Amino acid sequence: MSEHWPQDALIVLGASEEQVPLYQEARRRGIPTIAVDMRPDAPALPFADAALKVSTRNTDAIADALGDACPAGIVCGASDAALASWHALSLRYGTTYVYPKSALAAGDKAAFHAIAASCGITGYGWTASGNPDEVVAEAAGLRFPLVIKPADGSGSKGVTRITRPDDLPAAVAYARSYSASQTVIAEEFVQGRPLAIEVFMRDGRALMTCVKNKEFVDGSFVVRRLRTAQLSSATHDQLEATVERLCRALGLVNGPANFDVVLGTDGQERVIEANARLGGDGVPRLLAAAYGVDVVRALIALALGEPFGGHLVPTRAAHAALELIGSPLVAEGELVTWEGVTEARNTPGITDVELYAKPGDLVRPHDQSGHKIGLLVAAGPSVADASAALKTASALIRPIIRPITETK
């Protein structure tokens, strides 16, 4: 029965810190929300009107608990785990917007490589298998260095860069430990300029496209900074045309997607990965700071079957930069306090300061995207202005973390 669920609610699949803006926007509009997340301490739960504490992957359990509820819409933010449920529940409840089943192929890195090849996009060597011995044998014949990762992973979990065949068995075993399907993909490492491309489609065309430069935490594939990229109009148009083709090939004619791309010295883009959903790591904040667009409002409008294009019309043309804050320790620790937060917020050019950890929380090394503990966003009329503001605020804000030592 559904008597205890709010009527005409927006079902939000996931309640991580990345999802908080979805709940805030729904509340601003007076739309009740039902949060679905198995974690009792999920950060966004306090923003929801009701909560269903089950896994977002467990579609049957969600449907059984919701019963004959009549949701106004279903939405998912920066979470790959919930995408299959988004599609299935959209069909079950007959919502106006149905997440396309074909877009789930973006979550399978091997399947996505095949889709990119079918679109005529320049590729590179790779192999994938659920058999670890087969991956090791096939990968040994690729061009080193290689990147080994779970074929169905996200958030930089289980990813290793190796330079010699002897390192393959350990890297494959590590990747498999993060793969729900036990499938590992080995890819030739692509040299060039790493980019992240955010796109929001309407009727099969890119209504909004943002290309960002990516910088990583030292020695990893974990994003540390994002900056709006300076590109020639020809290169921007080329990249936009590529992601449009990929979205259409994925059956994503309406809605957000994001792509990891490397722009080679030959001027050709190699598309590394795709996520057929809203970008994480604070990307909506960066887009708002740079262009005045609101992809969260657009996504909720889409989920409710409303016109959404008006939320994606740029109201300014600034540059923006984002820095993700992680623990400086290489081991687990306890957050004691934050220093310099007020000073960072008051830095000219800073538009957002978000803290995901509070004193007493366990803090892990910043070796996965999900281990970030905060972020800063800066904007300005030039790249130099945005970067200078970010650098100043980054030097001011400091998490004080006490290492956790094991006692025997």
Side-chain angles (χ1 to χ4, degrees), residues 20 22 43 56 84 100 181 231 280 282 315:
V20 169
L22 292 172
T56 58
S181 66
L231 299 166
T315 58

Side-chain angles (χ1 to χ4, degrees), residues 171-244:
V172 168
Y174 179 60
R176 287 189 90 225
S177 71
Y178 284 95
S179 173
S181 66
Q182 298 286 284
T183 304
V184 173
I185 186 167
E187 301 173 335
E188 293 178 351
F189 179 73
V190 180
Q191 301 282 355
R193 179 180 177 181
L195 302 172
I197 305 177
E198 201 79 19
V199 64
F200 209 112
M201 300 288 285
R202 185 179 67 180
D203 299 330
R205 298 299 302 272
L207 189 59
M208 181 218 71
T209 304
C210 175
V211 184
K212 308 174 293 293
N213 291 316
K214 289 197 302 184
E215 300 174 34
F216 301 100
V217 176
D218 291 344
S220 76
F221 292 95
V222 179
V223 175
R224 176 69 181 275
R225 296 184 188 90
L226 295 169
R227 306 175 195 269
T228 47
Q230 289 184 298
L231 299 166
S232 68
S233 58
T235 299
H236 182 278
D237 291 348
Q238 173 184 322
L239 294 172
E240 182 175 71
T242 292
V243 298
E244 276 187 342

Side-chain angles (χ1 to χ4, degrees), residues 225-288:
R225 296 184 188 90
L226 295 169
R227 306 175 195 269
T228 47
Q230 289 184 298
L231 299 166
S232 68
S233 58
T235 299
H236 182 278
D237 291 348
Q238 173 184 322
L239 294 172
E240 182 175 71
T242 292
V243 298
E244 276 187 342
R245 292 203 308 277
L246 287 170
C247 284
R248 289 194 292 267
L250 287 166
L252 189 73
V253 295
N254 290 298
N258 57 90
F259 300 84
D260 291 336
V261 175
V262 173
L263 187 62
T265 54
D266 59 359
Q268 290 296 312
E269 67 275 14
R270 273 79 176 178
V271 183
I272 309 299
E273 293 182 8
N275 297 295
R277 40 91 171 155
L278 207 62
D281 288 337
V283 164
R285 306 294 195 199
L286 181 142
L287 296 174

Side-chain angles (χ1 to χ4, degrees), residues 65-80:
L66 292 175
D68 57 354
C70 297
I74 300 169
V75 73
C76 173
S79 170
D80 294 326

Side-chain angles (χ1 to χ4, degrees), residues 39-70:
R39 298 169 300 161
D41 60 345
L45 289 181
F47 298 89
D49 295 285
L52 175 55
K53 295 182 176 65
V54 301
S55 169
T56 58
R57 294 181 185 270
N58 195 338
T59 306
D60 291 339
I62 296 169
D64 288 345
L66 292 175
D68 57 354
C70 297

